[in-house]
Amino acid sequence: MAESMLVGVTDAVASRRAIEWACRRAEERGSRIELISIVGGAVGAVGEGAVVAEALALTEAMLEREAERARARGLHVEVRLARGNPVDELVDASMVFDLLVIGSDYRGPQSGPRRGPHGVRIVAAAHCPVAVIPDIDLDGRQGVLVGVDGSPFSAKAIEFAAAEAAGIGDPLTLVHAWTTVPLPLAMHAYPAGYLAGMQKLGEEMVAEARSGIVERHPDLEVRGIVERGHPGVVLGRLSAEARTTVVGSHGRGPLARLLLGSTSHEVLSWPVSATIVVR
């Protein structure tokens, strides 16, 4: 069965990036696309009805324009116009889709502060994997990157990333970043062999993950990177050269940072590639 994608649409430039990313994916995979826009709920103010009606009409016209552009490329595209809280509506709608695609207005390290909480809230609560597309030109990028930490959440992300890479013929890079325990005040240096041992444990973890992938995807090129450093920082740096970054989350719920995990939360705060969060 063809993959189904739900794409959140606004009038922002970042939204156009998300639509284009979804269209290219649909061209590669024969995916079905549904474009959704949400107009905020009414509060009962005098004269509000006319404003809401105009907003609905303009939003519907925008959706149809975007849909026609995609249909002109031979894609199967439907549209949906909803009213209410954008986060809640997107989360509810994601229940019957394989992938939710949203845009981020992040434009790179020189563009200003990290992104706000709405995208993270959507990712934390969505019922399916979520692709967050930054407002960055990703043309010419190659490769799928995935974080490896030995957890069940990481295992799901690895399998998703392997299928993603195999589907587009890109190499897959498994990334493990390790950090040391704080050095006690009475100690001036880590014990001999401690840092080498941490590096070895990381390499063994990546090697084990790689062997499982090679069994299931024998034609896939799989690389491994093990570095000392904060996982979010290491993944963010390496993502700048990748087409797609995949990270695992802890589950669904309103406490985004806790349930996504600090690494996923940090990567989503500064997305420098198409970033897919898997649960």
Side-chain angles (χ1 to χ4, degrees), residues 36-45 47-57 59-60 63 80-93:
I36 181 172
S37 286
I38 299 107
V39 175
V43 296
E48 181 180 66
V51 174
V52 171
E54 181 68 11
L56 287 169
T59 303
E60 184 175 23
L63 275 175
R80 184 192 309 194
L81 179 61
R83 287 184 59 184
N85 179 285
V87 173
D88 294 341
E89 292 293 330
L90 277 175
V91 167
D92 289 345

Side-chain angles (χ1 to χ4, degrees), residues 209-274:
R210 184 183 183 280
S211 65
I213 292 170
V214 170
E215 288 181 6
R216 295 186 293 275
H217 304 278
D219 296 327
L220 180 62
E221 179 184 351
V222 185
R223 309 164 181 168
I225 295 177
V226 179
E227 290 187 12
R228 179 183 179 183
H230 189 282
V233 174
V234 173
L235 277 172
R237 172 171 54 80
L238 296 174
S239 293
E241 303 297 327
R243 184 202 300 220
T244 307
T245 301
V246 180
V247 291
S249 81
H250 294 181
R252 298 184 57 251
L255 302 178
R257 183 177 180 84
L258 295 178
L259 291 176
L260 283 178
S262 59
T263 299
S264 300
H265 188 279
E266 187 166 352
V267 171
L268 285 177
S269 296
W270 297 287
V272 291
S273 70

Side-chain angles (χ1 to χ4, degrees), residues 168-238:
I168 57 179
D170 270 12
L172 174 66
T173 302
L174 308 175
V175 180
H176 175 73
W178 56 271
T179 56
T180 59
V181 297
L183 190 67
L185 293 177
M187 294 182 65
H188 300 292
Y190 289 103
Y194 170 69
L195 299 182
M198 291 292 290
Q199 177 72 16
K200 182 179 179 182
L201 285 174
E203 290 172 353
E204 290 173 349
M205 186 185 303
V206 167
E208 182 178 357
R210 184 183 183 280
S211 65
I213 292 170
V214 170
E215 288 181 6
R216 295 186 293 275
H217 304 278
D219 296 327
L220 180 62
E221 179 184 351
V222 185
R223 309 164 181 168
I225 295 177
V226 179
E227 290 187 12
R228 179 183 179 183
H230 189 282
V233 174
V234 173
L235 277 172
R237 172 171 54 80
L238 296 174

